[in-house]
Amino acid sequence: MPPKPTDAELEILTVLWGRGPSTVREVHEIIARRKAAQYTTILKLMQIMAVKGLVRRDESARAHVYQASRPREWTERQVARDLLEKVFGGSARNLVLGALSARKTSRKELAEIRKLLDEYEKEAQ
Amino acid sequence: MPPKPTDAELEILTVLWGRGPSTVREVHEIIARRKAAQYTTILKLMQIMAVKGLVRRDESARAHVYQASRPREWTERQVARDLLEKVFGGSARNLVLGALSARKTSRKELAEIRKLLDEYEKEAQ
DNA sequence: CTTGACATACGAATCACTTCGTAGTAATGT
DNA sequence: ACATTACTACGAAGTGATTCGTATGTCAAG
């Protein structure tokens, strides 16, 4: 069970989730667009992430290929669970309130959330 | 604008939100019930939190009295905003999905969440 | 006034995260 | 063959969070 990713690790995971398996150079190029970062910094982070089990790497090619070891949804669930405990006292209602009040939420998104609730109601009958 | 609290700080804030203004000893006693922690560790953390502006302290009595400088809801909103960005790609829908799939959610809680949505729909007309 | 209980202040160790430079090695072009 | 380029590995520094021991001060009881 990989540990909760740190902020820097999350940036890298986001790239891997978006692109699929990637080399360090590819990840670095994308991150460097938004933010100053040396190549070896990204490299080191990804090496550590491999040790932690957050990513897997394929060493068969000279440039190792990394991929997230858990899908985005899985990690999101972990993070949400952690938050629920540590910040929201276990109240999903309060977490949703936090999410909604964090910023303007469009009607369209509210409708999507409603649809989610429908599914969960059905499931819980 | 106080910074985002760390995990250890959040534990202390949770106690302060629950009890209202409290001395270090009171906070320590509650935390020590669940977890080994020396008195001076809690003291130091709370001193640092005061410097950061996460708590205010009243030094008029010999045992200083601390209170959270922001209400729980405010902090919850901050944390939700941060996570929304860093983990959920700005999608409130995905954050809610994460919360619901993190654990069993009761029918009662689902109903409460629905009520929240109603209020937000009205507001957004 | 001295002792004991209880408080704060503070220095220091430890740990994790982040950053980057340097070294070494394999591949590629001239 | 040699120089250049593209990798990985690794050590180490800087920062911030966390932990705790020790020093010191205050107060009340005897």
Side-chain angles (χ1 to χ4, degrees), chain A residues 25 39 43-44 47 57 62 64:
Chain A
R25 181 143 310 272
Y39 175 85
L43 170 67
K44 179 78 162 193
Q47 285 170 341
R57 74 172 169 185
R62 186 158 92 89
H64 299 172

Side-chain angles (χ1 to χ4, degrees), chain A residues 9-86:
Chain A
E9 288 166 349
L10 224 28
E11 281 188 304
I12 290 171
L13 285 176
T14 298
V15 174
L16 292 178
W17 284 324
R19 282 185 42 88
S22 309
T23 63
V24 174
R25 181 143 310 272
E26 290 164 336
V27 171
H28 173 250
E29 261 167 20
I30 291 188
I31 288 181
R33 265 176 221 157
R34 306 184 288 92
K35 175 185 163 181
Q38 292 305 309
Y39 175 85
T40 56
T41 300
I42 305 296
L43 170 67
K44 179 78 162 193
L45 278 172
M46 291 176 75
Q47 285 170 341
I48 290 172
M49 289 167 75
V51 172
K52 287 185 182 176
L54 288 168
V55 297
R56 280 184 220 298
R57 74 172 169 185
D58 175 355
E59 310 184 0
S60 58
R62 186 158 92 89
H64 299 172
V65 175
Y66 292 74
Q67 63 179 311
S69 64
R70 300 290 185 169
R72 176 163 202 146
E73 293 71 25
W74 188 92
T75 304
E76 287 179 344
R77 199 180 321 136
Q78 289 301 111
V79 172
R81 184 172 294 141
D82 189 59
L83 263 247
L84 217 44
E85 277 309 303
K86 293 212 183 101

Side-chain angles (χ1 to χ4, degrees), chain B residues 38-83:
Chain B
Q38 292 305 308
Y39 175 84
T40 57
T41 299
I42 304 297
L43 170 67
K44 180 79 164 195
L45 278 172
M46 291 175 75
Q47 286 170 342
I48 290 172
M49 290 168 76
V51 172
K52 287 186 184 177
L54 288 168
V55 297
R56 282 185 218 298
R57 74 173 170 184
D58 175 354
E59 309 184 359
S60 59
R62 187 157 91 88
H64 299 173
V65 175
Y66 291 75
Q67 63 180 310
S69 64
R70 299 289 184 170
R72 176 163 201 147
E73 293 71 25
W74 188 91
T75 304
E76 287 178 346
R77 201 177 322 134
Q78 288 300 111
V79 173
R81 184 172 295 140
D82 187 58
L83 264 260

Side-chain angles (χ1 to χ4, degrees), chain B:
Chain B
M1 202 72 57
K4 181 175 64 131
T6 66
D7 282 359
E9 288 166 349
L10 223 28
E11 281 189 305
I12 291 171
L13 284 176
T14 297
V15 174
L16 292 178
W17 285 324
R19 283 185 43 88
S22 309
T23 63
V24 174
R25 182 144 309 274
E26 290 164 336
V27 172
H28 173 251
E29 261 167 19
I30 290 187
I31 288 181
R33 264 174 222 158
R34 308 184 286 91
K35 175 185 162 179
Q38 292 305 308
Y39 175 84
T40 57
T41 299
I42 304 297
L43 170 67
K44 180 79 164 195
L45 278 172
M46 291 175 75
Q47 286 170 342
I48 290 172
M49 290 168 76
V51 172
K52 287 186 184 177
L54 288 168
V55 297
R56 282 185 218 298
R57 74 173 170 184
D58 175 354
E59 309 184 359
S60 59
R62 187 157 91 88
H64 299 173
V65 175
Y66 291 75
Q67 63 180 310
S69 64
R70 299 289 184 170
R72 176 163 201 147
E73 293 71 25
W74 188 91
T75 304
E76 287 178 346
R77 201 177 322 134
Q78 288 300 111
V79 173
R81 184 172 295 140
D82 187 58
L83 264 260
L84 215 45
E85 277 311 302
K86 293 212 184 102
V87 185
F88 296 90
S91 162
R93 185 253 182 204
N94 283 353
L95 177 49
V96 173
L97 174 56
L100 294 182
S101 61
R103 58 157 180 65
K104 282 286 170 217
T105 308
S106 69
R107 280 187 158 277
K108 181 150 160 292
E109 197 154 29
L110 288 174
E112 283 178 357
I113 295 173
R114 227 174 251 286
K115 199 182 290 180
L116 261 186
L117 287 181
D118 290 341
E119 292 171 25
Y120 269 84
E121 292 244 324
K122 209 175 297 174
E123 200 173 293
Q125 31 71 29

